[in-house]
């Protein structure tokens, strides 16, 4: 019999260290998620257009009625829109994870000798890349409609760091939602109920001072507001107060809890 | 000396209050095919999920290639290929990208992943579609790609969960052919199926699973023997001869069907029995129109063992 393509051991795995494979496995799956961005341009376009609509809506329709004191409304707005779009954009992680689950791809990945968080990390990093593109477009549009930031290059780096850290954190929460929801349909509304209050009951579109007292307590102390206020302060020079480090503590705290929890869910209950 | 690639001991699994597996024992010798046969909801997929480390058993042990599925899942994962019930491929990527990705995740080198992807594409007749996104593939093509993905690293042990369910006849034959080639190449295969003919055709041994228990195990022939022997069916020419024919075969375990003018007799032994029976009919002056030897099918086996048909349509909806 001629040597079959199927003969056992006709190919052998490479012998490398565990650490090497940890990077290789997540690298392969990150590459997969990144190529999804290229292959699914419609989705990226849709995700970018929505916040642009929001920006124009608030800039030209509602903005005039919102009092932001000495700061022009468009300058106030950009940080809020940027973080809101990062939060809504993170839901694509939920969608991707739920899709993989539904298609049985997660079962297949779990049957491979690879690192547990590899697939989730792929989607989360894909999310970061998508959000980076989105943010640049948003800032560009902002500049067109009158946004005049005063940030130095160093401050821009800090802004990028905070936005990416926030996206990374919320994407891990989104990964958990994708694993729990188990279907693409339920992910949609779950994500909406999480992200909607967090981004609207915040300092994203209006100063918190005019909100009802109970709402104000929530809005001023929840992580999204800290992230927005920190970014806003760095962009246009409003007082930064405790916002930057509180934002960092929140994000790192969320990552520290959500990442292992998501990995645990992936291993134990990720199937159906 | 036996060399078992898969050993399952008293495997149990509950989902909430539902007992899905109630103590399964099985061994699969290296280089053979075991078909786990059963209706929907019998626990076939649960068994495969435990053996491929996707699910933890509540009790019992399972060893794949000598590795404990609970204690050493990574060693198990390095020894197996899994094809689940769904075509688990990335729809946005092309066929080639899917296979190369799987090769890398099985820890083949980049060069090996490329070569193997090419070989698998050719083997599964997907070369022409290799650079198209998988979402443009037909169901049969997706399934073939799915099976190809589990073979990319040439693992010694393969789990195929209903590999041909929903396939068109051509793709089904292709999958059967591949299974045969895999066995020839030395692989051990554990497959589940609801199709009796599939188990009959592919498997060295068949285990029948029903309500979480193995209710029978053996070769296809052994299982058929359990149900009964071959039967010789005789159709008489004239209706008036029917009673004479019945009297002539009296004593033998006979069944009759007057409408069809047919008498059937269980066969104990060999060809001489056939001759003796025909002689008895001739002596009684019975003219014969037709003669057929009926071998029991696995359908008969299933009906005999479980008291219900292999396919229970009312159970098809699964959680």
């Amino acid at each position: 019999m001629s040597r079959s393509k199927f003969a056992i051991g006709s190919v052998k795995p490479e012998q490398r260290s565990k650490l090497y494979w940890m990077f290789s496995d997540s690298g392969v799956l990150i590459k997969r998620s990144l190529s999804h961005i290229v292959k699914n341009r419609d989705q990226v376009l849709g995700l970018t257009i929505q916040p642009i609509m929001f920006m124009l809506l608030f800039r030209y329709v509602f903005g005039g009625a919102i009092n932001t004191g000495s700061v022009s409304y468009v300058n106030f707005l950009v940080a809020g829109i940027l973080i809101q779009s990062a939060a809504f954009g993170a839901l694509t992680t939920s969608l991707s994870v739920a899709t993989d689950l539904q298609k049985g791809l997660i079962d297949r990945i779990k049957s491979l000798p690879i690192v547990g968080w590899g697939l989730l990390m792929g989607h989360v990093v894909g999310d970061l890349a998508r959000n980076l593109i989105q943010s640049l477009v948003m800032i560009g549009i902002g500049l067109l409609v009158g946004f005049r930031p005063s940030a130095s290059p160093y401050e821009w780096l800090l802004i990028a760091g905070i936005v990416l850290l926030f996206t990374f954190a919320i994407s891990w929460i989104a990964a958990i939602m994708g694993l729990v929801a188990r279907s693409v349909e339920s992910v949609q509304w779950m994500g909406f109920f999480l992200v909607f209050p967090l981004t609207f009951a915040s300092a994203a579109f209006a100063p918190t001072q005019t909100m009802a007292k109970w709402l104000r307590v929530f809005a001023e102390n929840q992580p999204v507001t800290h992230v927005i206020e920190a970014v806003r302060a760095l962009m246009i020079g409003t007082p930064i107060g405790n916002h930057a480090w509180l934002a960092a503590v929140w994000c790192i705290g969320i990552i520290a809890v959500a990442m292992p929890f998501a990995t645990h869910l992936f291993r134990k209950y990720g199937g159906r | 000396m036996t060399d078992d690639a898969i050993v399952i001991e008293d495997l149990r699994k509950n989902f909430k209050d539902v007992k899905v597996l109630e103590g399964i024992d099985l061994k699969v010798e290296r280089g053979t095919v075991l078909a786990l046969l059963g209706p929907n909801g019998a626990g076939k997929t649960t068994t495969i999920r435990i053996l491929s480390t996707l699910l933890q058993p509540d009790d019992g042990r399972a060893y794949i290639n000598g590795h404990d599925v609970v204690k050493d899942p990574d060693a198990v994962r390095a020894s197996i290929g899994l094809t689940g019930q769904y075509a688990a491929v990335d729809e946005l990527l092309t066929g080639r990208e899917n296979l190369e990705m799987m090769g890398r995740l099985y820890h083949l080198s980049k060069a090996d992943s490329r070569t193997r992807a090419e070989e698998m594409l050719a083997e599964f007749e997907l070369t022409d579609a290799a650079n198209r996104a998988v979402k443009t593939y037909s169901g049969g093509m997706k399934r073939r790609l799915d099976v190809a993905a589990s073979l990319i690293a040439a693992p010694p042990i393969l789990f195929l969960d209903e590999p041909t369910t929903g396939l068109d006849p051509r793709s089904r034959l292709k999958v059967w052919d591949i299974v045969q080639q895999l066995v020839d190449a030395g692989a051990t295969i554990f497959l589940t199926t609801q199709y009796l003919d599939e188990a009959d055709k592919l498997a060295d041994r068949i285990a029948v699973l029903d309500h979480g228990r193995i209710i029978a195990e053996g070769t296809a022939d052994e299982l058929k023997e359990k149900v009964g022997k071959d039967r010789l069916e005789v159709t008489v020419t004239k209706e008036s001869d029917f009673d004479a024919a019945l009297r002539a075969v009296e004593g033998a375990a006979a069944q009759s069907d007057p409408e069809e003018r047919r008498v059937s007799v269980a066969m104990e032994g060999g060809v001489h029995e056939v001759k003796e029976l025909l002689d008895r009919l001739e002596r009684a002056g019975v003219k014969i129109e037709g003669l057929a030897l009926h071998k029991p099918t696995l359908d008969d086996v299933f009906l005999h063992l479980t008291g219900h048909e292999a396919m229970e349509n009312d159970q098809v909806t699964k959680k």
Side-chain angles (χ1 to χ4, degrees):
Chain A
M1 196 183 72
S2 68
R3 200 172 142 71
S4 161
K5 299 278 188 303
F6 302 120
I8 294 168
S10 52
V11 274
K12 287 248 185 306
E14 275 187 304
Q15 293 304 316
R16 302 265 195 169
S17 68
K18 264 205 148 105
L19 195 69
Y20 173 89
W21 287 123
M22 198 174 87
F23 281 104
S24 167
D25 296 340
S26 38
V28 168
L29 289 161
I30 287 170
K31 188 179 147 205
R32 162 186 180 236
S33 296
L34 292 180
S35 73
H36 280 186
I37 300 179
V38 182
K39 291 176 192 251
N40 209 353
R41 281 178 292 258
D42 292 352
Q43 188 193 39
V44 182
L45 200 65
L47 282 170
T48 314
I49 284 175
Q50 200 194 348
I52 290 174
M53 300 305 285
F54 263 101
M55 172 125 77
L56 298 177
L57 179 73
F58 276 89
R59 164 75 177 89
Y60 291 110
V61 180
F62 301 141
I66 299 172
N67 182 4
T68 46
S70 58
V71 177
S72 80
Y73 187 70
V74 65
N75 276 351
F76 179 89
L77 178 67
V78 171
I81 291 273
L82 210 63
I83 296 306
Q84 191 199 33
S85 83
F88 272 109
L91 296 180
T92 52
T93 298
S94 309
L95 278 181
S96 312
V97 170
T99 306
D100 281 354
L101 206 56
Q102 239 170 3
K103 298 267 181 214
L105 203 73
I106 286 194
D107 275 357
R108 159 151 286 157
I109 299 285
K110 279 167 71 179
S111 79
L112 299 172
I114 66 166
V115 56
W117 41 261
L119 178 108
L120 299 177
M121 183 64 94
H123 287 313
V124 168
V125 173
D127 213 29
L128 283 184
R130 206 165 22 229
N131 189 49
L132 197 66
I133 301 168
Q134 249 173 273
S135 300
L136 290 175
V137 174
M138 300 278 297
I139 290 169
I141 302 278
L143 291 171
L144 287 179
V145 298
F147 173 51
R148 295 293 173 262
S150 60
S152 67
Y154 167 71
E155 284 169 324
W156 277 117
L157 271 182
L158 276 180
I159 291 168
I162 293 174
V163 172
L164 289 179
L165 188 67
F166 172 73
T167 310
F168 193 74
I170 202 157
S171 290
W172 279 103
I173 297 179
I176 293 173
M177 289 197 300
L179 288 169
V180 173
R182 288 166 177 236
S183 83
V184 174
E185 294 74 21
S186 45
V187 151
Q188 313 259 24
W189 64 259
M190 266 177 88
F192 189 77
F193 278 105
L194 178 79
V195 175
F196 194 89
L198 278 178
T199 56
F200 283 100
S202 77
F205 301 100
T208 51
Q209 287 87 334
T210 58
M211 295 178 186
K213 183 136 195 300
W214 60 271
L215 185 61
R216 191 175 160 187
V217 171
F218 171 78
E220 285 179 357
N221 291 293
Q222 57 120 328
V224 175
T225 292
H226 291 309
V227 174
I228 291 170
E229 292 287 20
V231 170
R232 182 175 288 146
L234 290 166
M235 274 180 174
I236 59 171
T238 50
I240 194 158
N242 290 330
H243 293 304
W245 69 266
L246 278 174
V249 167
W250 265 107
C251 292
I252 291 167
I254 289 171
I255 294 166
V257 175
M259 191 173 155
F261 186 57
T263 308
H264 170 79
L265 281 182
F266 179 80
R267 272 292 173 219
K268 298 291 173 192
Y269 308 107
R272 42 161 148 190
Chain B
M1 196 189 89
T2 58
D3 178 15
D4 293 317
I6 301 172
V7 178
I8 305 171
E9 291 168 357
D10 195 32
L11 205 61
R12 290 166 189 274
K13 182 74 189 175
N14 299 347
F15 288 123
K16 304 250 167 72
D17 297 335
V18 185
K19 289 181 174 174
V20 181
L21 297 180
E22 299 191 47
I24 287 187
D25 294 274
L26 272 179
K27 282 181 178 159
V28 186
E29 204 179 318
R30 201 172 292 283
T32 66
V33 180
L34 179 105
L36 190 61
L37 180 68
N40 274 328
K44 303 189 298 289
T45 298
T46 303
T47 308
I48 284 224
R49 292 180 61 86
I50 291 174
L51 297 182
S52 54
T53 77
L54 301 185
L55 203 61
Q56 297 260 337
D58 292 338
D59 205 0
R61 285 153 304 282
Y63 303 90
I64 308 295
N65 223 8
H67 307 293
D68 189 314
V69 292
V70 177
K71 294 188 185 125
D72 201 359
D74 271 330
V76 172
R77 288 173 193 140
S79 318
I80 63 169
L82 168 69
T83 299
Q85 273 187 36
Y86 311 89
V89 283
D90 188 320
E91 305 240 328
L92 289 173
L93 301 183
T94 66
R96 178 178 281 115
E97 286 169 338
N98 263 291
L99 292 179
E100 285 180 2
M101 177 176 87
M102 290 305 294
R104 289 297 283 154
L105 293 177
Y106 269 112
H107 296 171
L108 305 184
S109 70
K110 277 189 182 135
D112 279 349
S113 299
R114 264 197 295 275
T115 323
R116 285 292 289 178
E118 211 54 57
E119 284 176 3
M120 288 297 119
L121 287 166
E123 204 65 47
F124 285 85
E125 297 167 18
L126 290 167
T127 308
D128 291 342
N131 295 324
R132 264 168 42 203
V134 171
K135 63 181 173 196
T136 67
Y137 284 22
S138 70
M141 290 164 77
K142 276 183 200 166
R143 193 60 176 165
R144 298 205 306 267
L145 183 68
D146 190 35
V147 177
S150 63
L151 300 181
I152 194 109
I157 297 168
L158 270 161
F159 294 100
L160 307 174
D161 194 4
E162 303 198 3
T164 64
T165 298
L167 281 196
D168 59 275
R170 177 169 161 258
S171 295
R172 163 180 280 211
L173 284 177
K174 186 73 210 166
V175 170
W176 283 4
D177 176 45
I178 297 285
V179 169
Q180 200 49 59
Q181 288 189 53
L182 286 166
V183 175
D184 292 344
T188 307
I189 297 179
F190 187 108
L191 65 88
T192 69
T193 182
Q194 324 181 21
Y195 303 120
L196 303 158
D197 59 330
E198 185 161 278
D200 206 355
K201 177 153 175 63
L202 295 179
D204 296 295
R205 294 181 73 77
I206 298 170
V208 183
L209 186 67
D210 192 42
H211 295 115
R213 293 176 197 278
I214 303 284
I215 53 173
E217 202 216 325
T219 64
D221 287 339
E222 281 167 8
L223 289 185
K224 287 174 192 166
E225 259 171 45
K226 282 199 180 179
V227 196
K229 322 267 180 301
D230 296 357
R231 300 188 75 84
L232 186 72
E233 285 181 354
V234 177
T235 311
V236 301
T237 316
K238 287 185 284 186
E239 245 181 279
S240 52
D241 280 352
F242 190 73
D243 287 335
L246 260 188
R247 274 195 302 278
V249 299
E250 218 179 306
Q255 290 171 357
S256 63
D257 181 358
E259 300 245 311
E260 300 284 323
R261 304 193 308 280
R262 194 183 292 149
V263 177
S264 85
V265 180
M267 305 295 292
E268 294 295 332
V271 189
H272 68 277
E273 216 182 345
V274 179
K275 184 172 179 299
E276 191 198 311
L277 203 73
L278 292 178
D279 286 347
R280 272 157 76 176
L281 287 168
E282 198 179 354
R283 278 198 299 275
V286 176
K287 286 228 160 26
I288 294 170
E289 188 179 88
L291 191 67
L293 197 61
H294 175 75
K295 285 192 168 293
T297 64
L298 278 170
D299 277 307
D300 298 329
V301 177
F302 214 88
L303 202 56
H304 177 78
L305 289 171
T306 66
H308 57 77
E309 303 277 352
M311 297 283 274
E312 283 193 347
N313 287 326
D314 56 342
Q315 285 191 5
V316 166
T317 44
K318 266 209 305 191
K319 309 275 140 40

